[in-house]
Every structure is written in structure tokens, then in C-alpha cells.
Amino acid sequence: MSSIADESASPESEHRFYVGLTASCVANCLQTANFLSDRLLRKSHFKSKNIDELYRHSMDSAFAATEAFLVTGAPHASAYYPRDFAWFYPDVLDPDTIIDAEDAARRIHLLDKSVRLMLGAVRANTITTTLIPLGRGHHIGANYFALPSDTLLGILAGLEQLLTADQRPSLFRDMTRAAQIGTRLLEDYRGDLRQSVHDLAKSLEPYERDGTQSLLCDIRAPRSAATDTRAERLRFVTNSSVCATFQRAIALGVIAQNEIEAVLGRTLSQYKTELLQLFGRDGYITHSLDCPSHAPASSIALDFVNVLRGFWDLKNENERALFAATADFVLNEPRFRIPNTSHFLVSVDNPLKKMIHRIATPSYQGRSSWPTFNVEFADRMLDYDEAGGIETYRSHAQDILRHIRHATETHGGYQELLSEDGLQYRTWAYRSAVAHSWFPRFLSVWKRAFGSPLIRFAWPNKKAIDKAVK
């Protein structure tokens, strides 16, 4: 693969990264073959109706010692998606989701490997939506399906998991080691991360509508996000993810707030206020300023919930009002639901998409239900209640989680997405994954919503655990 154009690598890195037209063509061929072969040749997976057995199998699969990177599951397992560390597995080191000492050690080991690879890509200036492995430490950096808006956010979220591993009560001594690993990685890569955050801030462009001015990342062309097959520009999720990146980088000490503000030409709080004024001008969060409809149901997408410790500050009254208005439209509009369930669709209409996605996956990121977006919706509603000291949305959050549990048990695994009929999402070209690595996040939010864990693990005493992980 030495003929691939635009090779870049750090002399200190064990990984080499390739970008450019030739590299992207190779990556496209690899990914197309992988997705089609998975659709046609995937073998039957582990089947059980018992949530405990399903979870244990998922953890054995997601954090197997042979894995090189934390991934969703087939067909995504042949490529790495850095943004997923913010969106889909933001707290894999939550002690309440860990089965035993071996599970804890495997999670830390795989998270360490994953974060090192992502930081190596940052140092090599390969901040792309996707890293496609070529073997022996060689990777192609490719953008599916546009330049990323949340890749850097995912990298920071992955690093943060290591840094804060020892901040929650845990019987697992390895959590202290994880925090030490995170501290060393931050020291080693702080300068690279700082430059990347600085470059992201510089890439924003001024935008004005109806007298409201802001800085946006996707004025000229769509940017990729977790809902990345949507082809709209001027999206809330892409721009709120950029804002969340700045917030997280400052909190981790990657960059100083005054440095970000100097590039933006305004305070960070003013920048965020402008985004909310722009996308919340109708009293709720509009998914895209390019949206042709002004009807709330058709101009809202479920990804407004953003990510754990991300965009929303629900102690702020203005943000609370916008969040509640948007959430209420979703909760009260029947077209947002799979009938007779609390599974909420990404949007009531299928989005503007590129031709290939219209043909291959017409309702992907539209009239389909993603359990993980529903989990984040539930968690933000719990944030709202906790910040206000009220019980407005807890029952809705609990209903969402109950229905996700039912779907998991019914289909024999934690699903990437469901069709608008509540079935596993399949088209002639695509079959959604059993998302093993997303399962712990569900358990974390379940405990928060119900006050007790969904699955109780028979942990040995602390001395036994310490001995097991030495």
C-alpha cells in the first residue's frame, strides 16, 4: 500500500495513516465488499431471551482480547468510527456495567488501544470520520459521508473515559491504572489536540439569518455526524457537536478558554447563545436551517439530544425551555413512534440523502428507530428533571428503556436500529448490526432511571478482585 497518496505518520507512532483520492478509493472498495458480504453471508448470532445471558455474551464479543479497537459490531467491525466514543459508548468504564475483574481489565485494555490509535491519527493530521485498517498498523483515513463534525469530540470523550476512570466508586483496582494511562496520554498528545481544536475553531464561518448572527461549520456543504447519511447543510447536530467539542477540550485542559474565544471573536457563552437563537428561533430546536418545512414535527430530529456531558446545560432556563418544547413535540407526535411503543424514530420523514443511500438504505437515519438515540433522549430527560428537582419526564424515560429491553430480548441482542414497524432494520443492501458495545450505556441509564441495576453481578470481595487483576 506504499503507493497510496499523501501518507502521513508521526515518527513516534506505531501506526501509519493514509489519505487522498487513491486511499479513499481503496477504502470504498473495502467497505462496499464488507457491507454487502455481511448482508448476504452473516451467520446466525447468539440467541437468548434472557437479558443477563445476552449482556454477558455482548461483553465477551465487544471486549474480546483479540480486538484491536472498540467497534459496534458487524458490519461496522471492519472500520473504526472515532465519533462513537461520544455518541454510542461514552461510559464503558461505568463500574455498574462491569461483570467482573476480567471484564474490567479487558475494557481498559481495549479502550487504551483505541484511544492511542485515535490520538496517533490526530498527530498525523488524519481527523476523519472513519479509519479503515489495512493490517500491521496501517490505516486509511476516509470521510463518510462528508468532513466530520464530531470525530474530535469522540476522541476527547474516549480520552476522558480513561482520565476519569477512578472518579466513581469501584471495586476494581485497574481503574486507578486506567486514570494513570489517561493522564500520560493527555500529557503526550496535549499539543496535537490543542492544535486540532484550534483548527476546528478557525474553520467556522459567519452566518446570518433574520438578524441573528452565528458561526457555523456547515454553511458551504454538509458535515458528517452520528446521523451522517443525512445530506442537509446548516444542521443543529453538527454545530452543537462542535460547541460540545470546545466545552470538553476546555474542561480537560487541552486548550484555554480565552484561546478559543480569541479565535471565535466572542465568548464561548455568546457563541452557544447564538446557536440556540438561530436553531431555536421558532421556540423549539429545528434540525436544519435548510429544512423545507416549518411544521415542528417535520423539522425536528431526535439527534437534538446531543451526547453525554455534551451541548446541553439544563440548569439554564432558556435551554430548559427549548429542550422541553422540542422533547414535548417528539413525545406527543404519533408519527415519531413505532406504533404502540416508546421507540422514537429519528425523524417523521426520511431525510434528504445522496442517491446511493436512497437506493440502498432509504429510511436509515429517518423513519427508523435507533435504541442508542432513544437512550440519550431518556438520559437528557433525566438531566432535565434532576436539574429542576422535578419529575416531569422520568416516566417517559422509563418507558423508553423498558421497550428497548423488550426489543433486545425479542431480537436476541442490542440492536443498532429498528425499522418503523419495530423489526430489525434490513434492506437488500444492508442489515443492521447487533451493537454489543452499545449495551453498557443502556445499563448505565437504566440504573439512573429506575434507581437500581437491570442486571446484578455477583462481584467477589475486594481482595479477590485485587488478586485477580494483578
Side-chain angles (χ1 to χ4, degrees), residues 55 59 63 91-100 103 107 168 172 439-445 447 453 455 457 459:
Y55 186 73
M59 297 307 95
F63 302 103
D91 55 0
V92 296
L93 298 187
D94 178 359
D96 290 325
T97 73
I98 295 175
I99 296 172
D100 53 28
D103 185 28
R107 293 191 193 198
R168 286 187 278 195
F172 305 110
F439 213 155
R441 176 67 180 144
F442 170 67
L443 258 63
S444 295
V445 180
K447 182 178 180 183
I455 301 172
F457 305 114
W459 289 338

Side-chain angles (χ1 to χ4, degrees), residues 263-277:
V263 178
L264 297 178
R266 64 224 336 118
T267 66
L268 193 63
S269 61
Q270 180 60 32
Y271 164 61
K272 183 177 181 181
T273 297
E274 291 170 353
L275 290 178
L276 290 169
Q277 289 173 341

